């Protein structure tokens, strides 16, 4: 009887470790994208107002990825769809003005960003990002298409160099990433201990 209960405990621990390792892999797969690559977040030139639209089209975003905005004398506003298309800076969902802001893409769907500086949004400093769900990502992965053709006038700014990093969350997101991992580890250990104690208590 004792050996049967011991086997139950081992089975529970193995299942929990499999679940924990799967969750850890999902976290490790997240990436940081520097918005605008080497140019950062700023008002684009008059001949390049679609720069951020094209930047978003060159990348593919998943749940857990982060956008890193680097800028000076500017701001980042997270807004609703209507405010994005009308460059309405009033009452944003969230605003950032620290010059180095990280936004975690925590759900699938569209995210809308505009500059809070007057006229910058109208001049092209706006970004719309679509986050693909895991199921949709699996469908799209075999059919990845090449980056769109670039205009000769902006070829130097639109060089296809994906400025992302696998999840070494920096610029303010490192702490949140570490905290998430510790919470996952703590939760897994707690569940294992509780399962072990329950089985021991129920054992004859």
């Amino acid at each position: 009887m004792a050996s049967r209960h011991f086997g139950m405990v081992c089975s529970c621990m193995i299942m929990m470790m499999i679940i924990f390792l799967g969750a850890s892999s999902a976290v490790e797969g997240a990436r940081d994208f520097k918005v605008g690559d080497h140019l950062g977040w700023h008002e684009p030139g008059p001949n390049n107002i679609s720069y951020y639209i094209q930047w978003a089209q060159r990348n593919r975003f998943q749940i857990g990825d982060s956008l890193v905005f680097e800028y000076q004398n500017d701001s980042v506003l997270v807004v609703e769809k209507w405010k994005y298309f009308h460059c309405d800076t009033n009452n944003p969902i969230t605003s950032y003005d620290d010059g180095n802001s990280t936004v975690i893409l925590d759900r699938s769907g569209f995210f809308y960003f505009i500059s809070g500086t007057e006229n910058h949004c109208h001049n092209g400093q706006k970004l719309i990002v679509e986050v693909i769900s895991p199921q949709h990502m699996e469908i799209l992965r075999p059919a990845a298409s090449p980056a769109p053709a670039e205009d000769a006038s902006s070829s130097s700014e639109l060089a296809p160099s994906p400025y992302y990093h696998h999840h070494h969350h920096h610029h303010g997101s490192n702490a949140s990433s570490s905290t998430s991992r510790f919470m996952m580890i703590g939760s897994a250990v707690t569940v294992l201990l509780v399962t072990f104690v329950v089985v021991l208590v129920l054992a004859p």
Side-chain angles (χ1 to χ4, degrees):
M1 183 66 70
S3 61
R4 185 165 69 89
H5 284 288
F6 179 76
M8 291 174 59
V9 173
C10 291
S11 298
C12 291
M13 293 179 68
I14 291 173
M15 286 190 295
M16 290 307 304
M17 288 303 297
I18 292 174
I19 295 173
F20 170 69
L21 290 174
S24 298
S25 298
V27 172
E28 290 296 331
R31 300 165 295 174
D32 291 343
F33 290 85
K34 180 181 176 182
V35 174
D37 294 339
H38 58 287
L39 295 179
W41 177 246
H42 72 120
E43 181 182 17
N47 297 323
N48 199 23
I49 61 174
S50 62
Y51 176 75
Y52 290 105
I53 295 175
Q54 296 180 12
W55 178 85
Q57 291 174 344
R58 292 201 308 271
N59 295 292
R60 185 167 290 176
F61 307 96
Q62 305 177 58
I63 297 175
D65 289 347
S66 296
L67 300 180
V68 180
F69 293 83
E70 295 183 359
Y71 50 94
Q72 294 181 349
N73 302 317
D74 211 318
S75 62
V76 182
L77 306 183
V78 184
V79 298
E80 300 288 352
K81 180 179 179 179
W82 189 93
K83 292 179 180 291
Y84 170 85
F85 285 104
H86 292 80
C87 291
D88 186 348
T89 59
N90 295 315
N91 301 316
I93 299 173
T94 311
S95 62
Y96 304 89
D97 61 2
D98 59 358
N100 200 322
S101 310
T102 299
V103 178
I104 299 176
L105 305 174
D106 57 0
R107 58 171 176 80
S108 61
F110 290 94
F111 289 77
Y112 302 91
F113 306 90
I114 64 175
S115 168
T117 303
E118 185 177 4
N119 295 325
H120 280 203
C121 175
H122 290 288
N123 293 332
Q125 193 178 352
K126 55 197 301 187
L127 172 68
I128 178 172
V129 165
E130 182 181 9
V131 179
I132 306 298
S133 65
Q135 296 82 1
H136 196 190
M137 182 64 69
E138 289 299 324
I139 295 174
L140 293 178
R141 185 169 286 123
S145 57
E150 303 167 2
D151 295 334
S153 61
S154 60
S155 59
S156 61
E157 292 188 348
L158 292 177
S161 55
Y163 273 56
Y164 69 79
H165 304 278
H166 283 281
H167 212 291
H168 300 294
H169 262 310
H170 48 72
H171 306 310
S173 61
N174 190 38
S176 61
S177 174
S178 299
T179 301
S180 299
R181 289 197 185 92
F182 283 126
M183 290 178 64
M184 290 173 58
I185 295 173
S187 299
V189 172
T190 300
V191 172
L192 288 172
L193 289 176
V194 170
T195 303
F196 183 75
V197 171
V198 169
V199 172
L200 287 180
V201 170
L202 296 178

